[in-house]
Amino acid sequence: MQARADRRGSEASSARRFLRPEHIELTSVPKQGMNTLKGRVSRRSFGGAQTDYVIDVNGVALRVISRSRDADYKPSQDVLLSFAPADCLLL
């Protein structure tokens, strides 16, 4: 997985990745040049113009916000999560 790093601090032995939920796209096929994770839809909540998902990725719950017109994934469905390396911040 690729990410941009905040190099202001000193060297650390561990790091965390930060990614805004609206920067993650749910897809059925990998996208060229994007970071991709496999997951399963745990929850889906319609909220008008957007749909809020919780995706289980190896036991970690990730929140994804999609435009409702693109929201065709159902609970228990396997999905791919794609996001640009520039949108993933490593701290």
Side-chain angles (χ1 to χ4, degrees):
M1 179 179 299
Q2 296 179 1
R4 60 189 169 102
D6 180 356
R7 300 188 188 272
R8 291 178 292 181
S10 62
E11 271 190 51
S13 60
S14 66
R16 289 187 170 199
R17 284 175 290 237
F18 292 90
L19 181 64
R20 296 187 59 86
E22 61 272 17
H23 290 166
I24 303 171
E25 182 180 352
L26 298 177
T27 64
S28 56
V29 295
K31 294 187 129 197
Q32 182 83 14
M34 303 286 271
N35 288 325
T36 302
L37 302 171
K38 292 181 183 180
R40 179 168 287 185
V41 178
S42 297
R43 191 191 72 198
R44 179 179 116 160
S45 301
F46 176 75
Q50 65 187 31
T51 298
D52 195 340
Y53 288 97
V54 175
I55 310 296
D56 182 334
V57 178
N58 295 323
V60 176
L62 295 179
R63 183 174 180 215
V64 178
I65 298 173
S66 292
R67 295 178 300 186
S68 287
R69 67 179 183 202
D70 299 331
D72 56 353
Y73 297 98
K74 309 284 187 245
S76 299
Q77 185 175 353
D78 291 333
V79 294
L80 296 176
L81 292 79
S82 294
F83 49 94
D87 290 335
C88 187
L89 179 61
L90 185 64
L91 294 175

